[in-house]
Amino acid sequence: MDFIDLKSQYAALRDNINARMQAVLDHGQYILGPEVKEMEAALVAYTGAKHCISVASGTEALLICLMALDLQPGDEVITSPFTFAATAEMIVLAGGVPVFVDIEPDTANIDATLIEAAITPRTKAIMPVSLYGQVADINAINAIADKHGLAVIEDAAQSFGATYQSKKSCNLSTFGCTSFFPSKPLGCYGDGGAIFTSDDRLAQACREIRTHGQSQRYLHTRVGVGGRMDTLQCAVVLGKLDRFGWEIERRLALGDAYARKLKAAVPGLQLLAVRGDRDCVWAQYTVFVDEREAVQARLKQAGIPTAVHYPRPLHHQPAYARYADAQACPHSVLAAQRVMSLPMSADLTDEQQDRVVSALAAAL
Ligand SMILES: *Cc1c(COP(=O)(O)O)cnc(C)c1O
């Protein structure tokens, strides 16, 4: 069993994806070719955001947003330490200071009630992460941001396709940034990502920054990056979109089924909480266990792959330890010791899922 089954997905979409890629090879516009605009338009229609700017990766999306906000050295950005490194990494790379605010122990998303106490005169933005595919309390976060004149950047690398109060992830705040890394809910076959915003001025800034700060060819009005997404990768995303609605439905159903089956087979197992006004697209299907290493080893013996997202909170990583005391954010510290992700993808079969559940019951 694969932890994430991309082979079955390709088998189902092969003709579509091959034809899309062949079209690029035939027209030869490998950079900013017609598929780039076509994908951006399709994702605008899907999310409801006014603008989509495709970029080289989810990491690059975060960086370009921060550059568009004109982050100055020492400006602070509030975020969660319980995330992939890229979130804090881009804050630091853009010259900012990550300010870590702890997570809710049941959803593992940033605790919005702790944000206001972390705001200082240097705060420029709040960057909540929609971890595992569930949006954080973004209404509360947006309200705090409005009150203090801050931008909100949703790190939606894991949540493309998720819904929050009938709106789509990526269309909930100043910016939404997603990733098309192959294993994400909407993946390409390499690196790719996108920025979403409904602010015309910021969208224009992102477009310019994406291509070396050019407002027209060879007129560099600002400092930018080489941050475009390849036409071929956009073609892959387009080839996957026909089935994407089904995939999201299937992910939601598999998430519900995991919860139902695990509650029956492993009473007392702590599952991730999903709030009633939103869903989770399960970029990772993550549960909380004690003695994780031993459980993982037993599952591996039973042929069930697992992973850990993430084994250390960022303030316990050498590169980011200077931004918080080791004792800070205790829920993040504890979650990092206990989280374990189970096999999950739209092509996971019911039988495979049953095998995972019985193996976990046996392992515990
Ligand atoms: C994957 C991921 C990123 C980075 O995306 P890339 O496309 O791999 O650069 C950023 N933040 C989170 C939370 C992620 O899961």
Side-chain angles (χ1 to χ4, degrees), residues 75-225:
D75 280 350
E76 295 171 359
V77 180
I78 293 171
T79 192
S80 162
F82 191 57
T83 177
F84 182 57
T87 316
E89 185 180 38
M90 290 306 106
I91 296 169
V92 175
L93 192 67
V97 176
V99 174
F100 294 125
V101 163
D102 208 2
I103 56 169
E104 302 170 328
D106 60 343
T107 65
N109 273 330
I110 193 167
D111 185 339
T113 65
L114 303 177
I115 289 176
E116 215 157 9
I119 293 175
T120 76
R122 296 305 306 264
T123 308
K124 190 94 188 208
I126 309 170
M127 195 184 274
V129 180
S130 300
L131 199 71
Y132 306 137
Q134 175 179 209
V135 176
D137 283 334
I138 201 98
N139 276 0
I141 294 169
N142 285 335
I144 295 165
D146 283 347
K147 184 172 151 195
H148 296 272
L150 311 175
V152 177
I153 303 169
E154 182 199 4
D155 182 342
Q158 302 182 8
S159 62
F160 193 81
T163 302
Y164 175 95
Q165 296 185 3
S166 79
K167 283 180 88 179
K168 287 287 178 203
S169 171
C170 289
N171 181 29
L172 300 169
S173 49
T174 319
F175 288 111
C177 291
T178 201
S179 163
F180 305 123
F181 187 83
S183 61
K184 307 282 175 159
L186 179 58
C188 59
Y189 287 161
D191 280 306
I195 300 166
F196 296 85
T197 183
S198 292
D199 181 310
D200 296 341
R201 189 186 58 82
L202 290 173
Q204 182 59 27
C206 289
R207 276 190 203 287
E208 291 179 13
I209 293 166
R210 174 177 75 174
T211 313
H212 304 288
Q214 292 181 104
S215 51
Q216 19 172 310
R217 194 155 199 212
Y218 296 128
L219 181 61
H220 302 268
T221 48
R222 57 171 90 230
V223 174
V225 294

Side-chain angles (χ1 to χ4, degrees), residues 7-343:
K7 293 190 201 93
S8 299
Q9 186 196 43
Y10 177 61
L13 293 168
R14 176 189 203 104
D15 290 348
N16 223 5
I17 293 173
N18 286 7
R20 283 288 189 171
M21 292 182 81
Q22 188 62 52
V24 177
L25 296 171
D26 289 338
H27 68 55
Q29 295 177 57
Y30 301 117
I31 298 294
L32 297 181
E35 285 79 4
V36 178
K37 274 214 167 73
E38 187 183 347
M39 183 196 78
E40 291 176 349
L43 300 185
V44 157
Y46 184 86
T47 58
K50 191 168 172 195
H51 303 280
C52 169
I53 302 101
S54 61
V55 292
S57 68
T59 304
E60 203 79 15
L62 296 171
L63 177 65
I64 292 173
C65 287
L66 291 165
M67 291 173 76
L69 291 173
D70 202 18
L71 206 72
Q72 296 298 310
D75 280 350
E76 295 171 359
V77 180
I78 293 171
T79 192
S80 162
F82 191 57
T83 177
F84 182 57
T87 316
E89 185 180 38
M90 290 306 106
I91 296 169
V92 175
L93 192 67
V97 176
V99 174
F100 294 125
V101 163
D102 208 2
I103 56 169
E104 302 170 328
D106 60 343
T107 65
N109 273 330
I110 193 167
D111 185 339
T113 65
L114 303 177
I115 289 176
E116 215 157 9
I119 293 175
T120 76
R122 296 305 306 264
T123 308
K124 190 94 188 208
I126 309 170
M127 195 184 274
V129 180
S130 300
L131 199 71
Y132 306 137
Q134 175 179 209
V135 176
D137 283 334
I138 201 98
N139 276 0
I141 294 169
N142 285 335
I144 295 165
D146 283 347
K147 184 172 151 195
H148 296 272
L150 311 175
V152 177
I153 303 169
E154 182 199 4
D155 182 342
Q158 302 182 8
S159 62
F160 193 81
T163 302
Y164 175 95
Q165 296 185 3
S166 79
K167 283 180 88 179
K168 287 287 178 203
S169 171
C170 289
N171 181 29
L172 300 169
S173 49
T174 319
F175 288 111
C177 291
T178 201
S179 163
F180 305 123
F181 187 83
S183 61
K184 307 282 175 159
L186 179 58
C188 59
Y189 287 161
D191 280 306
I195 300 166
F196 296 85
T197 183
S198 292
D199 181 310
D200 296 341
R201 189 186 58 82
L202 290 173
Q204 182 59 27
C206 289
R207 276 190 203 287
E208 291 179 13
I209 293 166
R210 174 177 75 174
T211 313
H212 304 288
Q214 292 181 104
S215 51
Q216 19 172 310
R217 194 155 199 212
Y218 296 128
L219 181 61
H220 302 268
T221 48
R222 57 171 90 230
V223 174
V225 294
R228 294 165 302 233
M229 182 168 167
D230 300 353
T231 311
L232 269 171
Q233 296 302 342
C234 292
V236 173
V237 169
L238 284 167
K240 288 195 182 188
L241 278 181
D242 289 349
R243 206 184 75 147
F244 186 63
W246 173 83
E247 286 189 10
I248 290 295
E249 289 306 312
R250 178 73 186 149
R251 283 175 175 279
L252 297 178
L254 281 167
D256 289 347
Y258 254 137
R260 197 177 61 243
K261 293 172 184 177
L262 287 169
K263 271 181 201 150
V266 199
L269 177 71
Q270 190 192 336
L271 305 177
L272 193 80
V274 179
R275 302 281 183 246
D277 61 349
R278 67 202 83 166
D279 59 24
C280 183
V281 295
W282 304 111
Q284 314 296 344
Y285 191 87
T286 303
V287 297
F288 300 86
V289 293
D290 296 319
E291 295 170 53
R292 179 176 62 204
E293 246 98 287
V295 177
Q296 285 191 282
R298 278 175 230 140
L299 285 171
K300 192 176 173 195
Q301 283 231 305
I304 309 295
T306 58
V308 176
H309 306 92
Y310 296 92
R312 287 176 189 220
L314 294 184
H315 64 304
H316 287 193
Q317 292 285 1
Y320 305 102
R322 79 182 72 159
Y323 300 108
D325 289 343
Q327 295 76 28
C329 303
H331 293 307
S332 303
V333 173
L334 190 62
Q337 289 162 14
R338 298 186 67 225
V339 286
M340 181 179 76
S341 305
L342 302 175

